Amino acid sequence: MLRVEDLCVARGGVPVLEGLGFSLAPGEALVLRGPNGSGKTTLLRTLAGLQPPGSGRVEMAPDSAAYAGHADGLKATLTVAENLTFWARIFGRRDIAAALEGFELEPLADRPAGALSAGQKRRLGLARLLVTGRRLWLLDEPTVSLDTGHVATFARTLRAHLAAGGAAVIATHIELGLEARVLDVAPYKARPVEEPEGYAESFL
Amino acid sequence: MSLWEYANPKKFLGLSGAVLPWVSAGAALCLVVGLVWGFFLTPDAARFQSTVKIIYLHVPAALMAINAWIMMLVASLIWIVRRHHVSALAAKAAAPVGMVMTVIALVTGAIWGQPMWGTWWAWDPRLTSFLILFLFYLGYIALWDAIDNPDTTADLTSILCLVGSVFAVLSRYAVLFWNQGLHQGASLSLDKEENVADVFYFPLLVCIAGFVLLFLALVLLRTRTEIRARRIKALLARERQA
Amino acid sequence: MIALLGRDLALAVRAGGGFGLGLAFFLIVTVLVPFGVGPEPRLLASIAPGILWLGALLACLLSLDRILALDWEDGTLDLMATAPLPMEALVSVKALAHWLTTGLPLVLAAPAMGVLLSLPAPGYLWLTLGLALGTPALSVIGTFGAALTVGLKRGGLLLSLLVLPLYVPTLIFGAEVARRGAVGLDVATPLAMLAGITCGTIALLPFASAAVLKVNLR
C-alpha cells in the first residue's frame, strides 16, 4: 500500500531526515516517534505529496492518501454537517452519517463549527478522514486537544479502519493501544553534507 | 564541456571573477569615450540645440531597461526548466539594475522633454510604457524581498516574470491604442532612428556598447554577491543543524 | 468543483463573509469623487467612465487577499492539495466565486453609480457591458496575485503592488469602451480587445496560479 525507499525530506531547502525506508501493507499502522522538530510533520507532508522528496521514492496508489495536519480546514460559519458534506463532495462522495457516528458528532451536526470547543473541532477534523474514503491515513498529532474518552473513540475508529483494509501513518506520543510498528525518526536525522565538492548546486 | 557547467556556482564565480575586471574596464572606456565624444565633439543639432546631447544617456538606458527585463525572462525560464540556482540569482541581480535603467530613461526623458515639448511629463505611449515597466520591476523586486526561502522565491518570481512579460507586452499595445484614441495626431514621440545623423550615431553606438558592458558588469557583480550570500546562508543552516 | 463553489458562495453571504463590502466601497468612491472635483455635471460626465472603472477595479482589489488567505490559514488549502480536485480547477473556481460575489454586483450596480456621476445616456449600456466583460479578468488576475502572496503575513500591500500593473491592459480597454460609448463613438475595437484579454487570462492564467500555489504550499 505504501513503500518508501531511501527517502530524504527537506524543510526550507535543508534536509532534515534521510535514508528512510519502510513499507506498509493494508491493515497495518506505523507510529512515528521523535522529539519536536525532528521532521515528523515534514515526513508526513512529503508522503501526502504536499512537498517533493529531496531524494528517494514514495510509492503508493494514486489518490489513496488522506492527510490530517495541525489545522482542520474547517469553516467557522458552516455547520458541522455542512463542513463534512463539503469535504465528502470534494472527494466525490455523499454519505456523512458514518463519519458523524464514528466520532460521536451527531448531536452537534447543526452547530456552526465556530461554536465548537477545540476538542470537538478536532473530532470534526478527524471525521473528515472517514468521508474521504481514502485508505491510507496520514495523521499528524491526531489526538491533540482530545479528552481521554475521545482518544479511545478515535483509537476504536482507527482500528475499524485498519480492520477494513486501511492503513495509517501516525505521528503521536500517545499510546493508542494498536498493534502498530513504531518508527523512531531520530536515527534518520540528516547529517550535514561532508563533501562540499559534490554539492555545488547547494552552494556548499 | 557544455555551457551549463557555468551554472555551477563555483565555476561561475571563477569565470565571472576573471571576466569582471575586463568587462568593467571596457564599460568605463566605452562610456568615457562615448560620452566625451557625444557631449563635446559633436555639433548642436539645428532643431534641438544642445539638449539633444542627453540622447547619449537616454537611449542606451532605455534600451537596457528593456533588455534587462528580457534577460530576466530568459534567466527565469532557465531556472524553471533546468533548475540552475545561478540563473535564478542572475535574474534577481538584474532586476534592480534594470529598474535603475528605467528610472534613468524616465528622468533623462523628462529633462529632455522640458525644453523640447515644454513639459516634464506627457502621457505619451512611450513614456507611459516605461512607467508601467517601472511598476513591473517594482513588483518583481518586492516579491523577491518578501519571502525567506530562496528556492520558493525563485519559483514565484520566475512565474511572475513570465506572466508579467506577457502583460507588459499587452500593456504596451494597450497604451499605444489608448493614447491614439485620445489625442489623434498629437504624438510627442520622436522616431530617433530616422532623425539621428551619422555624427550623432557613432558616439551613440559607443555609448550603447558602454551601457551594455556596464549592465553586464553590474549583473555579474551582483550575481557574485548573491551567490556568496547564499553560501553564507547555507553555511549558517548547516551550522545550526550540526 | 460545484461543491467548492457552493461553499465559497455560502461563506461569502454568511456573517463575516465580506459580501457587499466591495459594493459599499464602490459606492463610497463614487460619492467622494464629486466632493473632490466639484459638482459640475459636464466635468463629471466626462470623467465618469474612467472613475467608475477605477472604482470597480479598486473594489475588486480590496477583496483579493480573501480569495485564498482564509483557506490557507485554516489548513483547507493543504487538505485540498491532497484531494482529487486539481489545483487548476481550485483556482478557477476560487476566481469564479470571487467574481460572483464581487465582480457581478459591481457590474449590476454600475448603472446606478453612473447616474450619480451624470454619465451620458449612451454610456450605460457600454459601461455595463464592458464591466461584465472585464471584471472576470480582474478576478482571475487577482487570484494569481493572491496565489503568489498566500503565505505572507502582510501580503495585502504586496498583492496590490503585484496585481495593479497586471490590471493596466484591462483598465485601459475597459475604460475606453465606456468612454467611447458615452460619446457615441465606435466601441468595437476596444470591446474585442477587452474580451480577448478576458478570454486569454481565463484560459491560461489558472495554470500559472496553480503552479504558484503549489510552490507556496510545499
Side-chain angles (χ1 to χ4, degrees):
Chain A
M1 173 156 264
L2 171 70
R3 260 177 82 81
V4 171
E5 279 174 29
D6 195 26
L7 181 69
C8 168
V9 298
R11 180 175 48 214
V14 182
V16 281
L17 295 173
E18 62 186 7
L20 283 162
F22 54 84
S23 67
L24 213 57
E28 281 190 314
L30 181 71
V31 173
L32 300 177
R33 288 276 155 81
N36 293 340
S38 59
K40 299 187 298 291
T41 297
T42 314
L43 174 59
L44 282 169
R45 288 180 65 88
T46 309
L47 292 178
L50 286 169
Q51 55 184 72
S55 65
R57 280 145 59 93
V58 177
E59 282 176 33
M60 65 170 99
D63 286 348
S64 64
Y67 169 76
H70 298 292
D72 291 318
L74 303 174
K75 291 297 171 193
T77 48
L78 298 182
T79 67
V80 169
E82 281 170 331
N83 268 303
L84 274 183
T85 310
F86 164 68
W87 284 109
R89 290 183 64 195
I90 287 293
F91 284 85
R93 297 158 65 91
R94 303 241 151 230
D95 188 27
I96 62 162
L100 284 174
E101 193 196 319
F103 286 93
E104 296 167 6
L105 287 164
E106 295 108 322
L108 304 171
D110 294 322
R111 191 97 73 84
L116 298 180
S117 74
Q120 289 168 331
K121 275 185 191 154
R122 190 77 243 207
R123 274 150 62 200
L124 178 51
L126 292 170
R128 191 188 60 84
L129 290 166
L130 284 173
V131 303
T132 62
R134 295 272 170 103
R135 294 173 65 209
L136 174 62
W137 289 358
L138 304 169
L139 308 176
D140 195 359
E141 302 286 359
T143 53
V144 167
S145 49
L146 290 186
D147 58 38
T148 21
H150 285 107
V151 170
T153 314
F154 165 66
R156 200 169 57 238
T157 312
L158 188 58
R159 269 196 298 275
H161 173 68
L162 296 176
V169 181
I170 311 152
T172 182
H173 291 103
I174 290 186
E175 201 48 66
L176 291 168
L178 300 166
E179 291 95 61
R181 279 179 295 150
V182 173
L183 179 72
D184 188 351
V185 296
Y188 296 97
K189 185 170 176 336
R191 263 165 290 280
V193 185
E194 296 293 341
E195 274 294 316
E197 291 303 324
Y199 281 79
E201 279 285 8
S202 57
F203 297 94
L204 287 172
Chain B
M1 167 126 177
S2 90
L3 183 65
W4 296 119
E5 299 223 348
Y6 292 104
N8 172 320
K10 206 161 251 173
K11 282 233 169 65
F12 179 85
L13 281 184
L15 179 78
S16 61
V19 167
L20 190 55
W22 295 100
V23 177
S24 314
L29 187 72
C30 283
L31 281 179
V32 169
V33 169
L35 289 180
V36 169
W37 186 1
F39 281 161
F40 301 113
L41 305 176
T42 55
D44 289 351
R47 257 175 73 204
F48 310 114
Q49 291 92 40
S50 62
T51 56
V52 75
K53 291 184 171 173
I54 206 162
I55 198 175
Y56 301 110
L57 288 174
H58 180 70
V59 173
L63 216 58
M64 289 323 291
I66 297 170
N67 288 352
W69 185 274
I70 295 174
M71 185 230 127
M72 281 157 54
L73 174 62
V74 172
S76 300
L77 279 173
I78 294 177
W79 163 252
I80 291 176
V81 176
R82 298 199 54 137
R83 319 288 298 173
H84 292 309
H85 287 81
V86 173
S87 176
L89 293 182
K92 180 185 183 185
V97 184
M99 187 168 86
V100 170
M101 293 289 179
T102 317
V103 172
I104 293 177
L106 283 171
V107 170
T108 54
I111 294 172
W112 192 10
Q114 214 288 324
M116 286 313 303
W117 309 328
T119 170
W120 295 101
W121 179 259
W123 289 96
D124 169 80
R126 219 172 264 231
L127 273 63
T128 313
S129 302
F130 265 85
L131 196 59
I132 295 170
L133 184 63
F134 177 70
L135 296 179
F136 276 103
Y137 273 121
L138 217 58
Y140 181 87
I141 295 171
L143 187 59
W144 261 111
D145 286 344
I147 305 171
D148 227 16
N149 184 333
D151 279 3
T152 306
T153 329
D155 281 332
L156 297 181
T157 50
S158 301
I159 298 175
L160 177 68
C161 186
L162 243 70
V163 172
S165 303
V166 175
F167 276 88
V169 174
L170 267 180
S171 306
R172 170 87 180 117
Y173 286 102
V175 164
L176 273 177
F177 175 83
W178 160 75
N179 206 345
Q180 276 174 1
L182 260 189
H183 323 271
Q184 219 84 32
S187 172
L188 292 168
S189 84
L190 301 160
D191 205 326
K192 280 116 191 162
E193 303 312 314
E194 284 179 11
N195 272 343
V196 172
D198 278 0
V199 240
F200 308 114
Y201 189 60
F202 292 118
L204 183 57
L205 275 190
V206 178
C207 280
I208 290 176
F211 265 78
V212 171
L213 289 173
L214 177 67
F215 173 74
L216 209 61
L218 288 173
V219 171
L220 282 180
L221 187 68
R222 291 183 52 86
T223 311
R224 287 163 64 83
T225 315
E226 292 291 341
I227 290 177
R228 294 204 169 108
R230 279 293 294 275
R231 180 172 288 175
I232 291 170
K233 224 176 161 171
L235 285 171
L236 284 176
R238 182 212 270 191
E239 202 153 282
R240 266 201 310 274
Q241 207 180 23
Chain C
M1 288 174 81
I2 296 166
L4 180 59
L5 183 63
R7 186 202 66 155
D8 272 14
L9 295 182
L11 283 175
V13 295
R14 284 193 194 176
F19 179 74
L21 280 182
L23 205 55
F25 177 82
F26 189 34
L27 173 69
I28 288 174
V29 168
T30 317
V31 169
L32 287 184
V33 167
F35 297 153
V37 304
E40 171 64 41
R42 275 226 310 283
L43 176 64
L44 284 178
S46 72
I47 61 170
I51 295 294
L52 290 173
W53 255 93
L54 211 53
L57 186 144
L58 291 176
C60 245
L61 190 72
L62 271 185
S63 49
L64 288 182
D65 61 337
R66 295 180 65 94
I67 297 181
L68 293 167
L70 297 178
D71 279 350
W72 165 272
E73 278 160 21
D74 62 19
T76 306
L77 278 181
D78 273 350
L79 302 176
M80 291 299 290
T82 57
L85 196 66
M87 251 342 166
E88 287 79 5
L90 171 80
V91 290
S92 304
V93 171
K94 284 279 171 192
L96 178 60
H98 178 258
W99 183 71
L100 287 175
T101 52
T102 309
L104 192 59
L106 292 177
V107 175
L108 299 177
M113 304 297 153
V115 174
L116 287 178
L117 294 182
S118 12
L119 186 72
Y124 288 94
L125 172 65
W126 299 118
L127 174 74
T128 315
L129 195 61
L131 279 171
L133 269 176
T135 43
L138 299 184
S139 289
V140 173
I141 296 170
T143 308
F144 173 68
L148 270 175
T149 55
V150 71
L152 299 174
K153 296 254 160 14
R154 299 208 141 301
L157 208 56
L158 180 64
L159 175 63
S160 311
L161 189 60
L162 295 176
V163 162
L164 282 177
L166 302 178
Y167 275 176
V168 168
T170 310
L171 175 63
I172 287 181
F173 288 120
E176 192 70 20
V177 167
R179 198 161 43 215
R180 287 188 174 198
V183 293
L185 287 172
D186 179 32
V187 298
T189 316
L191 201 61
M193 294 298 288
L194 185 64
I197 288 174
T198 303
C199 292
T201 49
I202 292 176
L204 297 176
L205 214 50
F207 293 101
S209 311
V212 158
L213 195 53
K214 277 179 204 153
V215 169
N216 266 329
L217 280 178
R218 73 180 185 220

